[in-house]
Amino acid sequence: MLTLKGNGCAEGAAMGAALVKTAYVPVYTMDRVEDPQAEIAYLDERIASLAKRLDALYEHTLEESGEEAAELIESYQMILMDQTFFDGVRDRIRKTGLNCKMAIKEACEACRESFMAISDPYLRERFGDIEDVCFKLVMACDQVTDALEDVRLTEPTILVADTLTPMDTVRLDKGFLAGFIVERGGATSHAVILAKTLGIPAIVGVQAICSQVKNGSHIMMDAATGEIIVDGDDAAREAFQAILRAGEAARETYRKEPLGPAQTLDGVAVEIAVNAGDADSSQRLDPSLCDGVGLFRTEFLYMGCQDYPDEETQYQAYRQVAERMQGKPVIIRTLDIGGDKALDYMGLEQEENPFLGYRAIRICLDKPAMFKTQLRAILRASAHGCVKIMFPMIISLAEIRQSRALLAECMVELRQASVPFDENIAVGIMVETPAAVLMADQLAAQADFFSIGTNDLTQYVTATDRGNARVQALYDPFNPAVLRAIYQTGQAATAHHILAGVCGETASMDHMIPFLIGAGIRELSVSQGALGKVRYLVRRLSAEQCQAAAKQIVQDCADSSQARAILAGLIAAIR
């Protein structure tokens, strides 16, 4: 029996036979071609071939797995149609005589530099989609088919791989696909998003699992804990069956949970909102399912452009979301991007540590014309719904005051032009740095609301790169230091009578929800698939009991296991 550990992402438990995806390793050479135009013609032929396959895959996915899963394939189609990117590949072939595979590889690596410096992990991992498309195109150039293309599942199966993409998995029979285990990849990768869409568990960051597991090995996986058992004995299997039965019963219960506002047993209201951050997710927003949008990322508007998006382009995007939510709150986060050449047109210098460097609000305050263009667009959209503004990466009172001053200038400009906007628009901040936590009581006096970005906060508090597989075990939101940071922030918000929310992954973690409520968090912003579960749990928890548990944890718990045990007791009592 072998026991392994990773980071659980899409919650749930499963057992089944291992299917180990074998990785194709292309050979790249610096060989120059004699006829660059012929090589470009071959590249275009391979692009057309891959596009045809994606079209068929989209239709198959739409029919078998639904619109949300199909939109993941659509994102690959859009990348393949990116004229600017592939014109760059063609230029490399034309000017240097590189073979098309090497030209694709070099263009992809140049793109990596831009994306890896983006602060938001969701957007940072979108580079993985570009990398996937490039890799599939290289395979097409070699005329090699996907390892899983002809696989037919006949029993419950756990898919094990070094990396996974939706293109790898959507063909597989969903009736037998029980879970994903991946060596590399983060909690916001498209493979994890697909797992959540399909309602199957996923665990990432499991080092060297492909070399330790064989096809047909019996696997038991629990994404709630990140634990994996390979070829367990009878006692282990029997215990795991009980976990599976409990999990299925819970999922069925969540599916039946009525819509509408959520209150704890003792009458404390908790808003349950959704996160959104690209054109596709904006189109899927449904105000009947949630209390609003707790985080609307704006970076996608900048990332697809060759220059700064103008005010009208941004206004139309923000207005669409505001109108779609029919008066429910929409929290729009201002540009959160930066680092080493995050966007070519921004002309940013290379940095050794971009995550601690020139990014987010620091760039915006340094480029007031750019910042004011976005602020005016958000203000104009506020005339069409309940829009709120949120500033990221705040570490000081000075940054809030400077941001508010620029916002006030925009208000004056719009008044003079007789352009309507919400004169009382709420202005909040992301709490995602230790500095913001330590200053939370003073920042709360200047902000209308807080939203805790627990993904980055956990990274910064624990000094752990969540994308580094070697230290992922240290990336633990239940670390007592992280819990104390959340608690201190929630208490500061409560004392100043402002709303505190959470928009990171922890907002949908079963055992974290009681702590968040107990810490004073009154808004939970999650993925659409988690709304039923979160609503169910909130309605069956006592805020008073949660407060007592949270206080006990911050005072007494020396490690995460102690905290988890206390919170698990609260969840067990309501199931």
Side-chain angles (χ1 to χ4, degrees):
M1 184 170 74
L2 173 66
T3 301
L4 301 170
K5 179 82 172 178
N7 289 338
C9 297
E11 290 188 356
M15 62 192 304
L19 172 61
V20 182
K21 177 198 168 192
T22 55
Y24 175 68
V25 182
V27 177
Y28 295 99
T29 70
M30 294 299 294
D31 295 345
R32 263 48 180 184
V33 296
E34 294 182 1
D35 187 347
Q37 282 306 123
E39 192 74 0
I40 290 172
Y42 182 69
L43 171 68
D44 290 340
E45 175 192 316
R46 295 293 87 198
I47 290 174
S49 173
L50 182 56
K52 186 176 181 180
R53 288 170 53 204
L54 284 174
D55 289 344
L57 192 56
Y58 174 85
E59 295 299 329
H60 172 82
T61 307
L62 185 63
E63 181 178 350
E64 296 294 325
S65 303
E67 183 177 355
E68 194 170 353
E71 285 172 348
L72 297 177
I73 302 302
E74 188 176 29
S75 69
Y76 286 76
Q77 293 174 302
M78 293 174 66
I79 292 168
L80 196 61
M81 291 187 295
D82 188 329
Q83 196 68 25
T84 301
F85 179 83
F86 287 104
D87 277 349
V89 177
R90 296 181 185 96
D91 282 344
R92 289 173 189 272
I93 298 172
R94 186 179 297 111
K95 294 175 181 178
T96 67
L98 276 177
N99 61 80
C100 61
K101 286 168 53 180
M102 196 66 198
I104 294 167
K105 185 176 187 294
E106 286 192 357
C108 185
E109 288 301 316
C111 190
R112 179 193 299 274
E113 294 182 1
S114 298
F115 274 79
M116 289 302 99
I118 296 172
S119 59
D120 188 304
Y122 175 88
L123 293 167
R124 191 164 64 242
E125 291 213 33
R126 298 291 68 78
F127 168 73
D129 306 336
I130 298 172
E131 189 175 40
D132 295 340
V133 171
C134 288
F135 187 75
K136 297 298 184 187
L137 187 54
V138 166
M139 291 179 67
C141 290
D142 281 342
Q143 301 189 32
V144 174
T145 58
D146 294 335
L148 301 174
E149 190 161 330
D150 297 321
V151 170
R152 299 292 179 265
L153 305 184
T154 58
E155 60 180 330
T157 301
I158 307 294
L159 185 54
V160 178
D162 58 342
T163 60
L164 273 180
T165 74
M167 291 173 65
D168 294 325
T169 56
V170 291
R171 297 185 186 88
L172 298 176
D173 187 338
K174 305 308 174 293
F176 290 116
L177 185 58
F180 298 155
I181 302 176
V182 188
E183 288 189 4
R184 295 184 289 123
T188 52
S189 68
H190 263 169
V192 173
I193 294 172
L194 178 62
K196 291 179 178 179
T197 301
L198 299 176
I200 62 176
I203 299 177
V204 301
V206 188
Q207 294 187 56
I209 187 172
C210 291
S211 63
Q212 299 181 73
V213 174
K214 299 178 181 178
N215 280 326
S217 294
H218 186 271
I219 291 182
M220 296 177 282
M221 60 179 291
D222 186 352
T225 62
E227 294 177 351
I228 301 162
I229 299 175
V230 181
D231 294 327
D233 56 24
D234 290 343
R237 294 192 187 204
E238 185 177 344
F240 202 79
Q241 287 286 359
I243 295 174
L244 291 177
R245 289 192 294 269
E248 180 53 39
R251 284 190 293 274
E252 182 61 25
T253 299
Y254 300 151
R255 284 193 287 268
K256 295 178 180 178
E257 185 65 16
L259 299 176
Q263 290 187 345
T264 62
L265 292 173
D266 42 359
V268 174
V270 179
E271 295 180 15
I272 302 175
V274 295
N275 296 327
D278 52 46
D280 290 342
S281 63
S282 301
Q283 293 295 327
R284 295 196 303 268
L285 291 172
D286 185 346
S288 69
L289 300 178
C290 61
D291 296 323
V293 177
L295 170 63
F296 185 76
R297 305 175 180 92
T298 61
E299 291 74 31
F300 76 97
L301 290 170
Y302 294 77
M303 292 167 65
C305 300
Q306 297 303 304
D307 203 348
Y308 296 103
D310 60 28
E311 182 179 322
E312 185 65 22
T313 298
Q314 296 189 62
Y315 161 65
Q316 292 297 339
Y318 306 150
R319 173 179 176 172
Q320 181 183 53
V321 176
E323 290 179 337
R324 195 172 190 86
M325 292 310 295
Q326 301 176 12
K328 291 186 175 181
V330 177
I331 298 176
I332 299 178
R333 184 180 67 188
T334 58
L335 183 62
D336 187 5
I337 207 166
D340 180 13
K341 299 179 182 178
L343 295 172
D344 289 342
Y345 60 78
M346 294 184 74
L348 303 180
E349 296 180 359
Q350 183 174 348
E351 298 180 342
E352 289 190 12
N353 194 335
F355 302 110
L356 301 179
Y358 184 60
R359 68 181 188 85
I361 199 67
R362 299 167 184 178
I363 293 177
C364 290
L365 293 176
D366 200 37
K367 297 178 180 289
M370 176 200 75
F371 194 22
K372 288 178 65 176
T373 296
Q374 182 175 38
L375 293 176
R376 283 193 301 269
I378 297 173
L379 285 171
R380 289 171 59 192
S382 71
H384 304 279
C386 182
V387 171
K388 302 180 182 183
I389 295 176
M390 181 163 66
F391 301 129
M393 196 65 181
I394 294 292
I395 66 167
S396 69
L397 287 169
E399 289 172 335
I400 297 184
R401 289 168 178 160
Q402 292 173 51
S403 300
R404 279 189 174 275
L406 290 172
L407 182 64
E409 290 179 16
C410 294
M411 289 179 168
V412 170
E413 293 166 3
L414 293 178
R415 288 190 200 104
Q416 291 174 343
S418 299
V419 176
F421 64 91
D422 181 1
E423 293 277 358
N424 298 308
I425 190 169
V427 179
I429 67 168
M430 290 281 290
V431 177
E432 51 193 333
T433 66
V437 173
L438 294 172
M439 293 291 291
D441 55 342
Q442 295 188 34
L443 294 174
Q446 300 289 322
D448 296 320
F449 64 90
F450 283 164
S451 185
I452 305 175
T454 51
N455 298 344
D456 270 341
L457 183 62
T458 302
Q459 282 197 126
Y460 287 130
V461 169
T462 63
T464 304
D465 178 3
R466 62 183 287 177
N468 185 334
R470 298 187 67 178
V471 296
Q472 280 197 8
L474 301 177
Y475 179 85
D476 183 2
F478 290 89
N479 182 301
V482 178
L483 296 180
R484 289 186 181 193
I486 295 170
Y487 187 84
Q488 182 173 328
T489 303
Q491 294 302 292
T494 300
H496 285 82
H497 308 290
I498 66 171
L499 182 72
V502 168
C503 58
E505 287 291 320
T506 61
S508 60
M509 292 181 180
D510 295 22
H511 295 166
M512 184 64 81
I513 290 172
F515 180 83
L516 297 178
I517 293 173
I521 304 304
R522 296 296 177 260
E523 183 218 46
L524 301 172
S525 192
V526 300
S527 65
Q528 187 164 302
L531 290 170
K533 177 184 74 172
V534 175
R535 188 178 288 114
Y536 173 90
L537 294 176
V538 168
R539 288 172 174 168
R540 286 156 183 80
L541 288 165
S542 159
E544 184 177 357
Q545 289 181 343
C546 290
Q547 289 162 4
K551 188 175 182 179
Q552 178 187 357
I553 286 168
V554 297
Q555 289 180 344
D556 300 336
C557 289
D559 58 53
S560 61
S561 62
Q562 294 173 339
R564 287 176 186 271
I566 292 171
L567 297 169
L570 290 178
I571 293 297
I574 63 175
R575 284 180 170 165

